[in-house]
Amino acid sequence: MAQSVSNDALWEKLSEVDKKLEKLSEWQKPSNLDNEQAVIKPDFQKEKDEIIFKLERYIQGLGTYCDSHFKVIHKNIEQLEKDTEDVYKILSCMSAILKVRATWVKANRTFGTPMSNNR
């Protein structure tokens, strides 16, 4: 027994197959995007490497800049310590002079010599 199929039924079946193929095509599109992204990635990697290289160079420059400032600050601190030692020595000498002067004034008062005559 041969079955006869109408043109309408064939077109309906063909339309269903077309819809299924369209869905299958849409489902496969992301995998094509993945392939395209895989092709794009090496270019992006190149840019990423360039950015990293520049950042490393800037960081090294900043480190050098900071190192030079640290050296200057360290040198200034050493100079300040030296100056502080010098000031301490001067104050010690002045203190010793004042003690000698106070002793001299005290000795002269004891002997009755006015201080204004000995200046």
Side-chain angles (χ1 to χ4, degrees):
M1 292 182 115
Q3 291 183 345
S4 63
V5 180
S6 69
N7 280 340
D8 290 337
L10 285 173
W11 279 109
E12 188 178 323
K13 202 62 160 166
L14 186 59
S15 176
E16 288 176 16
V17 169
D18 186 43
K19 287 179 184 177
K20 287 182 182 180
L21 286 173
E22 192 175 311
K23 284 183 182 179
L24 182 62
S25 171
E26 288 176 10
W27 182 71
Q28 288 181 344
K29 278 186 182 179
S31 67
N32 289 341
L33 290 176
D34 289 341
N35 291 338
E36 289 175 11
Q37 286 176 352
V39 172
I40 292 173
K41 262 189 178 177
D43 290 338
F44 179 71
Q45 187 64 36
K46 179 183 165 190
E47 295 296 324
K48 180 181 172 185
D49 291 342
E50 185 177 337
I51 290 169
I52 290 172
F53 175 74
K54 285 181 180 180
L55 285 175
E56 286 175 347
R57 223 175 52 198
Y58 294 147
I59 290 170
Q60 287 173 348
L62 182 61
T64 304
Y65 180 75
C66 289
D67 286 347
S68 83
H69 277 291
F70 179 76
K71 287 176 185 175
V72 169
I73 290 170
H74 187 68
K75 185 177 177 181
N76 289 343
I77 289 172
E78 287 177 349
Q79 184 63 43
L80 182 62
E81 288 175 350
K82 183 181 174 199
D83 292 346
T84 303
E85 286 179 27
D86 292 344
V87 168
Y88 180 75
K89 288 176 185 176
I90 290 170
L91 290 175
S92 296
C93 289
M94 288 177 67
S95 175
I97 290 170
L98 290 174
K99 284 181 184 176
V100 168
R101 173 106 171 126
T103 305
W104 181 81
V105 168
K106 188 177 181 181
N108 282 334
R109 282 190 187 157
T110 307
F111 296 117
T113 311
M115 201 168 105
S116 60
N117 291 342
N118 293 328
R119 282 190 190 183

